[in-house]
Amino acid sequence: IILDILNIPEPEMSYAFILTSGALLGIVAQAGDLLVSFLKRQAKMKDSGNIIPGHGGLLDRIDALMLVAPVFYVTTIIFLVGG
């Protein structure tokens, strides 16, 4: 709907691209979670903040997204420009 409003043609995504990027982003999300956990252990911190008590802080809620968002952006740009 947004693409129609902005008059942008909808890209045709293949199932291979969708499955591959989904698998890649799943792996990157796990890596982001493990990376933040590693950094917290190195800093000898249990929680990264007090905003969400009992859940490890706000950083634990978005740690996977911090790596997934740039990877998603880059793969999407490569697909749209190179594809």
Side-chain angles (χ1 to χ4, degrees):
I1 296 173
I2 294 174
L3 295 176
D4 291 335
I5 293 171
L6 297 175
N7 203 16
I8 298 173
E10 184 174 336
E12 293 184 23
M13 291 189 202
S14 67
Y15 288 118
F17 172 76
I18 293 169
L19 292 174
T20 305
S21 62
L24 174 68
L25 293 176
I27 292 168
V28 170
Q30 293 298 316
D33 189 28
L34 291 172
L35 176 66
V36 171
S37 295
F38 172 75
L39 293 175
K40 282 176 36 179
R41 284 194 181 111
Q42 292 296 97
K44 296 180 176 29
M45 293 175 53
K46 178 166 174 39
D47 293 338
S48 58
N50 296 324
I51 294 177
I52 308 174
H55 289 271
L58 183 62
L59 184 59
D60 275 355
R61 299 293 106 196
I62 63 168
D63 53 4
L65 183 62
M66 290 183 339
L67 280 182
V68 167
V71 170
F72 175 73
Y73 176 78
V74 168
T75 56
T76 304
I77 291 300
I78 290 172
F79 171 73
L80 291 177
V81 172

